[in-house]
């Protein structure tokens, strides 16, 4: 064998020897030093999720559901003229309290008074004509009894009496119409309440229906309207038919101030909106100081079933999945998902109506890394949660 050929074979052996060493070295290192890493991965303590927990307990609460609501008057009327003319007098100030029947506006009465006088004169003339016709008929009937007059003449007399009576009825109607126009020239308050800012002044010309003169609304009592879903109708129907506790309905102003009077449910709208699936509920409130003004927005609080000693947990411990709510309950060194039915939410806490019992331990922090049956490493347990107080 030549020297060049021997040298070529020798180089190929060195090449394969180096490649084999490069592959074998990591395997040897892994087999020698990998025992500790494998044991660490298989260590249950290293796999456990660090969490904080608390022990479930009951607290005294007053559960309330809150709805956005609008103040509305029980009675409200737009004041519009029903006859034409010029406004000659305004008897009230803007925003004044008025009583039923009180004079508010006056429209020029001259032509309506003249109209009454003309109608009354026409009535007197019609009555005189009727009296003459009746006397003529009476005389003709006596002559007819002696066959001293043609029967046709008697028939004419009877027809004339009927015509005169119709003329009297027409004249009476004209008097009533003129009297009505005269009464419409003075606009009175239809009920006791508060009048708004006048939209017309003395000297303004008006016609039937135009313009809007003012608006009057009742103020005490007053109503508050709010909207409920179709699913809540049964609850509010039962409240309307049963005895309503004094503090069942309360309201708060936008600044957080509590209104001192309680309300009473008086009406539920007749139908459900086809598009919205909601309806309107009306609650009546006393308003002696007129703190409630029509159009004002308030928060309406309605007592619910979460009254007295209830299970209360932090809301952050609750997880939602596909419309269901659950919490992680600690059992030994692992957790299980527990479905819960929630109630009133307030101050970062929430009432649990079903699914938990006092004394159970639930996870409050570290929930994002948990799953059903996950191992947990529990930190210092929290004893209870912040005081619940009144639910709002």
């Amino acid at each position: 064998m030549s020297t060049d050929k021997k040298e070529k074979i020798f180089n190929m052996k060195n090449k394969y020897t180096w490649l084999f060493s490069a592959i074998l070295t990591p395997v040897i290192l892994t087999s020698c030093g990998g025992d500790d890493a494998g044991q660490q991965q298989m260590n249950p303590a290293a796999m456990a999720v660090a969490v904080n927990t608390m022990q479930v307990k009951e607290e005294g609460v007053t559960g309330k559901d809150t709805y956005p609501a609008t103040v509305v008057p029980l009675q409200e009327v737009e004041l519009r003229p029903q006859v034409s003319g010029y406004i000659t007098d305004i008897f009230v100030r803007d925003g004044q309290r008025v009583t039923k029947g009180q004079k508010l506006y006056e429209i020029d009465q001259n032509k309506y008074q003249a109209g009454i006088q003309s109608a009354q004169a026409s009535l007197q003339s019609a009555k005189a004509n009727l009296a003459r016709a009746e006397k003529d008929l009476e005389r003709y009937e006596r002559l007819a009894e002696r066959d001293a007059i043609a029967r046709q003449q008697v028939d004419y007399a009877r027809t004339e009496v009927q015509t005169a009576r119709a003329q009297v009825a027409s004249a009476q109607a004209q008097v009533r119409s003129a009297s009505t126009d005269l009464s419409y020239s003075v606009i009175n308050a239809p009920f006791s309440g508060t009048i708004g800012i006048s939209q017309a002044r003395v000297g303004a010309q008006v016609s039937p229906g135009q313009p809007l003169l003012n608006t009057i609304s009742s103020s005490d009592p007053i109503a508050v309207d709010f909207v409920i879903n179709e699913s809540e109708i049964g609850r509010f129907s039962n409240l309307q038919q049963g005895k309503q506790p004094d503090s069942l309905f309360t309201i708060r102003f936008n600044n957080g101030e509590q209104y001192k009077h309680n309300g009473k449910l008086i009406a539920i709208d007749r139908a459900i909106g086809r598009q919205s699936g909601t309806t309107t509920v009306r609650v009546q409130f006393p308003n002696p100081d007129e703190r409630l003004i029509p159009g004002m927005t308030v928060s309406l609080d309605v007592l619910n079933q979460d009254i007295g000693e209830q299970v209360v947990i932090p809301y952050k411990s609750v997880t939602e999945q596909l419309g269901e709510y659950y919490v992680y309950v600690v059992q030994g060194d692992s957790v299980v998902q527990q479905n819960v039915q929630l109630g009133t939410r307030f101050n970062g806490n929430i009432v649990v109506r079903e699914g938990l019992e006092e004394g159970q331990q639930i996870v409050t922090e570290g929930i994002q890394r948990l799953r059903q049956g996950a191992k947990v490493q529990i930190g210092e347990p929290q004893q209870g949660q912040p005081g619940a107080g009144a639910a709002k």
Side-chain angles (χ1 to χ4, degrees):
M1 183 179 296
S2 64
T3 303
D4 293 340
K5 192 172 183 180
K6 290 181 179 180
E7 183 177 355
K8 185 176 181 180
I9 295 172
F10 177 77
N11 290 337
M12 290 180 63
K13 289 182 178 180
N14 287 342
K15 181 179 179 181
Y16 286 115
T17 301
W18 175 85
L19 180 61
F20 178 76
S21 299
I23 298 173
L24 183 62
T25 300
V27 176
I28 297 173
L29 291 176
T30 302
S31 63
C32 293
D35 291 344
D36 293 339
Q39 291 176 1
Q40 184 176 4
Q41 291 178 0
M42 297 303 294
N43 186 357
M47 296 176 61
V49 179
V51 297
N52 289 337
T53 64
M54 63 159 286
Q55 189 175 18
V56 174
K57 69 175 185 178
E58 293 184 350
E59 292 192 7
V61 299
T62 302
K64 295 180 181 179
D65 297 323
T66 300
Y67 299 85
T70 304
V71 178
V72 294
L74 290 173
Q75 298 184 80
E76 185 174 72
V77 171
E78 291 183 345
L79 301 176
R80 295 181 180 271
Q82 292 180 274
V83 293
S84 60
Y86 293 91
I87 296 178
T88 56
D89 209 343
I90 299 177
F91 301 99
V92 292
R93 301 183 308 276
D94 293 342
Q96 179 182 329
R97 283 278 302 169
V98 298
T99 58
K100 183 178 180 179
Q102 182 176 342
K103 292 175 67 174
L104 305 177
Y105 292 85
E106 184 179 85
I107 300 171
D108 183 20
Q109 295 182 320
N110 290 330
K111 72 173 183 178
Y112 302 110
Q113 290 173 340
I116 286 184
Q117 293 173 356
S118 175
Q120 288 175 340
S122 298
L123 176 60
Q124 294 301 322
S125 175
K127 286 182 177 179
N129 185 52
L130 174 60
R132 179 193 59 77
E134 288 177 338
K135 288 182 179 179
D136 288 345
L137 175 60
E138 183 180 356
R139 185 170 60 255
Y140 291 158
E141 286 178 340
R142 287 199 301 268
L143 292 174
E145 291 176 356
R146 301 192 298 270
D147 293 328
I149 191 174
R151 299 298 301 176
Q152 186 179 15
Q153 190 70 26
V154 176
D155 293 339
Y156 287 158
R158 287 174 178 167
T159 301
E160 188 173 355
V161 168
Q162 293 175 352
T163 301
R165 287 174 178 170
Q167 291 173 346
V168 169
S170 176
Q172 290 173 335
Q174 291 177 359
V175 170
R176 290 193 298 270
S177 177
S179 298
T180 299
D181 288 343
L182 180 61
S183 66
Y184 284 161
S185 67
V186 177
I187 300 174
N188 301 316
F191 51 81
S192 297
T194 302
I195 197 167
I197 297 177
S198 181
Q199 304 300 304
R201 300 301 176 186
V202 173
Q205 185 174 9
V206 299
S207 58
Q210 295 296 332
L212 171 65
L213 301 179
N214 213 322
T215 302
I216 182 173
S217 58
S218 61
S219 56
D220 185 26
I222 204 164
V224 171
D225 286 356
F226 65 102
V227 175
I228 62 172
N229 292 321
E230 182 178 356
S231 60
E232 299 179 279
I233 290 180
R235 171 192 175 190
F236 284 94
S237 295
N238 292 336
L239 292 177
Q240 184 180 20
Q241 297 171 5
K243 184 178 180 180
Q244 300 179 30
D246 292 338
S247 58
L248 180 60
F249 296 97
T250 56
I251 54 179
R252 288 174 287 116
F253 296 105
N254 290 334
N255 62 1
E257 178 187 355
Q258 188 79 25
Y259 186 59
K260 64 181 180 179
H261 298 287
N262 299 324
K264 180 180 180 181
L265 193 155
I266 60 172
I268 299 175
D269 206 356
R270 62 174 185 82
I272 304 295
R274 295 182 180 179
Q275 300 296 329
S276 63
T278 62
T279 191
T280 300
V281 177
R282 175 164 293 181
V283 179
Q284 178 178 301
F285 284 85
N287 192 30
D289 302 326
E290 297 189 9
R291 291 290 310 279
L292 300 178
I293 302 173
M296 176 184 290
T297 57
V298 295
S299 296
L300 178 75
D301 295 325
V302 186
L303 291 180
N304 59 29
Q305 67 190 68
D306 302 328
I307 305 296
E309 294 295 319
Q310 304 288 332
V311 171
V312 180
I313 63 173
Y315 186 71
K316 65 181 181 180
S317 63
V318 179
T319 302
E320 180 183 4
Q321 186 176 21
L322 300 177
E324 294 186 352
Y325 299 91
Y326 60 88
V327 296
Y328 284 102
V329 178
V330 179
Q331 291 185 355
D333 60 351
S334 61
V335 293
V336 295
Q337 290 182 353
Q338 178 65 52
N339 284 32
V340 291
Q341 180 180 345
L342 303 179
T344 307
R345 180 179 176 181
F346 56 95
N347 298 333
N349 298 329
I350 195 163
V351 173
V352 178
R353 294 175 179 169
E354 293 182 8
L356 283 180
E357 296 181 358
E358 188 174 18
Q360 287 184 294
Q361 191 173 4
I362 64 171
V363 176
T364 58
E365 294 182 1
I367 297 174
Q368 297 80 0
R369 295 170 293 170
L370 293 180
R371 65 185 186 279
Q372 173 71 13
K375 301 295 183 181
V376 293
Q377 182 177 357
I378 301 173
E380 188 67 23
Q382 302 174 3
Q383 297 299 322
Q385 63 274 352
K392 296 180 181 178

